């Protein structure tokens, strides 16, 4: 009887603990969701109402002026989306493949120059060539100015992700590779048939981080892209914001203008641009979320 009572008490204690942890998780999730709801609400609020009543979870005065300003040239927005999607997908797919192919030999003990090559890759995390040499290399030697490849090639390799994948490869049992070697498998066969399938967690994490970085990249386009048909989404939104700031500045310096500045988007435009820019990535994140914990922890423990 005592053991049965202890078992029931343990079950009640376990359920109570689960309820508390679930409640805390729900509250924490709500805290994380509320800022995004405020962003969406602010993007759908009139600029005057936004400055008058502040940021609210529900739009005070429903207004789509900010989105109308962004999508006034729908063809340009669609083209910017296509350019961003193309560069993001290509960079992510080939970037993960190339970084894994670099990390694999660095993780193998039979690689003759493993230590010097690892140091060479790590050294690039400490020092870079600088903006001017990079610009000269891209424009004068590689002739990639106003070329879509300039939005892809510089983002293919990231030294930190290479080291991260290498560390994950090192955690795989060496006996797997030795068994495959005995069966006559080549290094390419071992890499594609054993190492890559077993490293899905870290590869998925690296893929998502690479996609995020490429999706949010506007600086590369600002340096190397002048053609309107090659402008990515983030740089297009950056130019829209700058154009609006120039217009508002001109209106404040010139008297006798009939347009009320409150009729033009301001902070609500910034919120609308955040929604337009981050929307697609919100649908991509759930497919990678389950791999994050394992991919990041295993790849970060060993040196």
């Amino acid at each position: 009887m005592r053991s049965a009572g202890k078992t029931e008490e343990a079950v009640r204690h376990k359920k109570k603990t689960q309820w508390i942890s679930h409640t805390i998780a729900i509250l924490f999730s709500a805290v994380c969701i509320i800022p995004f709801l405020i962003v969406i609400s602010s993007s759908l609020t009139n600029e005057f109402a936004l400055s008058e009543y502040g940021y609210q979870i529900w739009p005070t005065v429903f207004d789509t002026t900010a989105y109308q300003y962004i999508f006034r040239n729908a063809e340009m927005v669609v083209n910017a989306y296509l350019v961003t999607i193309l560069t993001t997908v290509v960079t992510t797919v080939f970037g993960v493949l190339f970084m894994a192919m670099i990390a694999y030999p660095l993780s193998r003990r039979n690689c003759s120059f493993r230590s010097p090559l690892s140091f060479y890759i790590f050294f690039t995390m400490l020092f870079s060539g600088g903006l001017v040499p990079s610009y000269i290399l891209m424009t004068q030697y590689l002739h990639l100015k106003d070329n879509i490849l300039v939005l892809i090639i510089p983002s293919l390799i990231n030294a930190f992700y290479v080291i991260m994948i290498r560390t994950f490869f090192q955690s795989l049992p060496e006996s797997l590779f030795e068994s495959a070697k005995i069966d006559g498998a080549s290094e390419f066969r071992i890499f594609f048939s054993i190492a890559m399938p077993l490293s899905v967690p870290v590869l998925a994490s690296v893929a998502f981080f690479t996609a995020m970085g490429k999706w949010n990249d506007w600086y590369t386009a600002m340096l190397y892209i002048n053609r309107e048909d090659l402008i990515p989404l983030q740089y297009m939104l950056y130019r829209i914001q700058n154009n609006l700031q120039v217009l508002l500045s001109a209106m404040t310096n010139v008297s006798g203008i009939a347009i009320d500045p409150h009729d033009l988007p301001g902070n609500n435009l910034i919120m609308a641009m955040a929604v337009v820019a981050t929307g697609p990535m919100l649908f991509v994140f759930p497919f990678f979320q389950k791999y994050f914990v394992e991919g990041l922890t295993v790849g970060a423990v060993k040196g």
Side-chain angles (χ1 to χ4, degrees):
M1 295 296 292
R2 291 182 179 179
S3 60
K6 291 182 179 179
T7 303
E8 292 179 358
E9 183 179 356
V11 171
R12 287 196 298 268
H13 179 72
K14 182 178 180 181
K15 289 183 177 180
K16 183 179 178 180
T17 305
Q18 289 178 345
W19 275 104
I20 294 175
S21 60
H22 291 169
T23 302
I24 295 175
I26 292 173
L27 293 176
F28 182 75
S29 301
V31 171
C32 295
I33 293 175
I34 287 175
F36 186 69
L37 295 178
I38 293 176
V39 170
I40 297 177
S41 172
S42 302
S43 67
L44 295 171
T45 303
N46 180 271
E47 176 64 18
F48 179 77
L50 192 62
S51 59
E52 183 73 15
Y53 303 105
Y55 299 99
Q56 306 289 335
I57 296 181
W58 189 259
T60 308
V61 178
F62 185 80
D63 186 11
T64 59
T65 303
Y67 290 98
Q68 292 175 5
Y69 189 84
I70 294 176
F71 290 97
R72 62 180 180 176
N73 190 345
E75 183 179 353
M76 180 182 67
V77 177
V78 172
N79 183 76
Y81 259 113
L82 294 177
V83 171
T84 302
I85 292 173
L86 175 63
T87 55
T88 301
V89 172
V90 173
T91 302
T92 302
V93 172
F94 286 96
V96 171
L97 176 62
F98 293 159
M99 286 186 285
M101 294 180 71
I102 295 173
Y104 175 72
L106 298 180
S107 66
R108 298 300 305 276
R109 298 176 181 176
N110 57 356
C111 180
S112 302
F113 302 98
R114 182 177 62 171
S115 297
L117 290 175
S118 298
F119 176 78
Y120 175 78
I121 294 174
F122 174 74
F123 187 80
T124 61
M125 298 173 58
L126 305 178
F127 301 96
S128 64
L131 176 60
V132 174
S134 300
Y135 185 84
I136 294 175
L137 174 65
M138 292 294 175
T139 57
Q140 303 300 321
Y141 291 93
L142 300 180
H143 304 288
L144 293 179
K145 188 174 180 62
D146 286 331
N147 191 321
I148 196 172
L149 292 178
V150 78
L151 300 175
I152 299 174
I153 294 178
S155 306
L156 288 177
I157 305 297
N158 184 296
F160 176 77
Y161 296 155
V162 171
I163 295 175
M164 184 175 167
I165 299 173
R166 181 210 64 178
T167 305
F168 195 97
F169 283 159
Q170 288 177 340
S171 67
L172 298 177
E174 188 68 24
S175 58
L176 290 175
F177 304 116
E178 294 176 354
S179 300
K181 242 346 187 181
I182 294 174
D183 292 337
S186 62
E187 292 293 347
F188 277 101
R189 182 65 182 274
I190 296 174
F191 172 72
F192 285 106
S193 299
I194 298 178
M196 292 285 280
L198 293 177
S199 304
V200 171
V202 71
L203 296 179
S205 301
V206 170
F208 181 75
F209 290 140
T210 302
M212 279 278 292
K214 191 71 258 178
W215 184 270
N216 295 323
D217 182 26
W218 60 270
Y219 189 68
T220 304
M222 186 186 70
L223 290 177
Y224 303 111
I225 299 298
N226 293 323
R227 289 173 50 183
E228 295 293 329
D229 59 332
L230 293 181
I231 293 178
L233 178 65
Q234 299 291 346
Y235 184 48
M236 184 204 69
L237 298 177
Y238 172 80
R239 295 203 312 179
I240 290 176
Q241 182 180 356
N242 283 348
N243 292 339
L244 180 63
Q245 291 176 351
V246 171
L247 179 60
L248 291 175
S249 177
M251 291 177 63
T252 55
N253 295 330
V254 178
S255 59
I257 297 180
I259 301 176
D260 187 357
H262 291 296
D263 294 333
L264 293 174
N267 291 326
N268 57 344
L269 175 65
I270 298 176
M271 299 302 176
M273 290 191 298
V275 173
V276 172
T278 60
M281 296 306 295
L282 293 178
F283 297 98
V284 175
F285 178 76
F287 296 99
F288 295 90
Q289 184 180 10
K290 63 180 180 180
Y291 298 110
F292 273 8
V293 175
E294 184 178 356
L296 294 179
T297 54
V298 176
V301 173
K302 296 184 179 181

